[in-house]
Amino acid sequence: MATLLLIDSSVSPEGVSASRSVTATFRKTWEEHPEGTVIHRDLAADPLPHLDGVAASAAFSDPASHTPEQQAAFAVRVKLAEELEQADAVVIAAPMYNFTIPSTLKAWLDQVIIMGRTAGEEPSAKGTPVTVVASRGGSYAPGTPREGMEYVQNYLEAVLGGGMGLDVDFIVPELTMAPVNPAMADLVPLYETSRDKAHEDAAAKAKALVARLAA
């Protein structure tokens, strides 16, 4: 059985959110696998608690010594780690909010990263393919005026790839504000091209993963 872990984080619904639209395309193709299953976490609809001292300290202490509060807090982290570990592939929606990722996605990362388990010398999900849908209202591509403000791909490559040993790839739907911002009207054709390519890439990546896992 092939299992996909799908993480959505946009505050907007699928009909409005560019990232949700692309992850939905990925999921639809994934589910063409006869035994394909999906673990879906919608961090906007069901946000996780931000990491606090209780949950953090529980990861560095003997479980036998945990207080009831530590037990409850660490159980959340273990559940998230187990979801990641059982996934054959992961797709993460990471829209750009104020030049970086949504705080709900950061909360998921802080909770799921457990040193000595999902991070460290031998991360438990090492090598798992992860597709990040990094949507943004403008363009932060190399050579653009805002290239230096790109803190989504750079950060996620470091934390997912470098810190957790995951095999990270990106789909980048950009200029998503063009259809609703009159000042960006001339960029609508570029937005449409980027949107269409994002959906094509999502379907192609999901199809390739399904084929590889079914082989």
Side-chain angles (χ1 to χ4, degrees):
M1 181 178 294
T3 300
L4 173 69
L5 174 59
L6 167 58
I7 307 291
D8 276 317
S9 61
S10 173
V11 298
S12 300
E14 184 180 324
V16 178
S17 167
S19 64
R20 286 183 184 273
S21 178
V22 175
T23 59
T25 293
F26 194 107
R27 177 176 185 165
K28 181 179 178 181
T29 304
W30 178 271
E31 290 179 332
E32 293 175 3
H33 189 294
E35 296 182 346
T37 63
V38 178
I39 300 170
H40 185 203
R41 277 206 172 265
D42 188 333
L43 300 177
D46 188 18
L48 294 164
H50 286 282
L51 187 68
D52 60 14
V54 174
S57 64
F60 295 97
S61 58
D62 184 352
S65 69
H66 285 178
T67 66
E69 291 79 11
Q70 285 179 312
Q71 290 175 0
F74 197 55
V76 173
R77 304 189 70 187
V78 170
K79 174 64 174 175
L80 297 174
E82 290 173 345
E83 290 177 353
L84 177 63
E85 290 161 352
Q86 75 182 84
D88 297 290
V90 182
V91 61
I92 299 174
M96 180 184 281
Y97 291 170
N98 301 315
F99 304 116
T100 188
I101 63 174
S103 62
T104 51
L105 181 55
K106 182 61 164 62
W108 179 79
L109 287 166
D110 288 341
Q111 294 281 13
V112 80
I113 295 172
I114 303 173
M115 291 303 300
R117 182 166 179 171
T118 57
E121 293 185 5
E122 288 296 327
S124 54
K126 182 177 180 179
T128 301
V130 177
T131 301
V132 177
V133 180
S135 59
R136 60 276 315 274
S139 179
Y140 299 78
T144 63
R146 291 194 168 191
E147 175 184 358
M149 299 179 184
E150 207 302 303
Y151 303 116
V152 173
Q153 288 177 262
N154 292 336
Y155 168 68
L156 291 177
E157 177 64 47
V159 70
L160 296 172
M164 303 175 73
L166 303 171
D167 183 8
V168 186
D169 195 12
F170 290 90
I171 296 175
V172 186
E174 61 180 10
L175 303 170
T176 62
M177 291 298 294
V180 297
N181 184 347
M184 300 174 67
D186 291 345
L187 299 175
V188 168
L190 292 176
Y191 151 73
E192 292 174 341
T193 297
S194 177
R195 176 200 61 196
D196 294 346
K197 185 177 186 302
H199 284 278
E200 291 169 3
D201 287 349
K205 290 177 187 295
K207 185 175 182 179
L209 284 168
V210 166
R212 190 176 85 186
L213 293 168

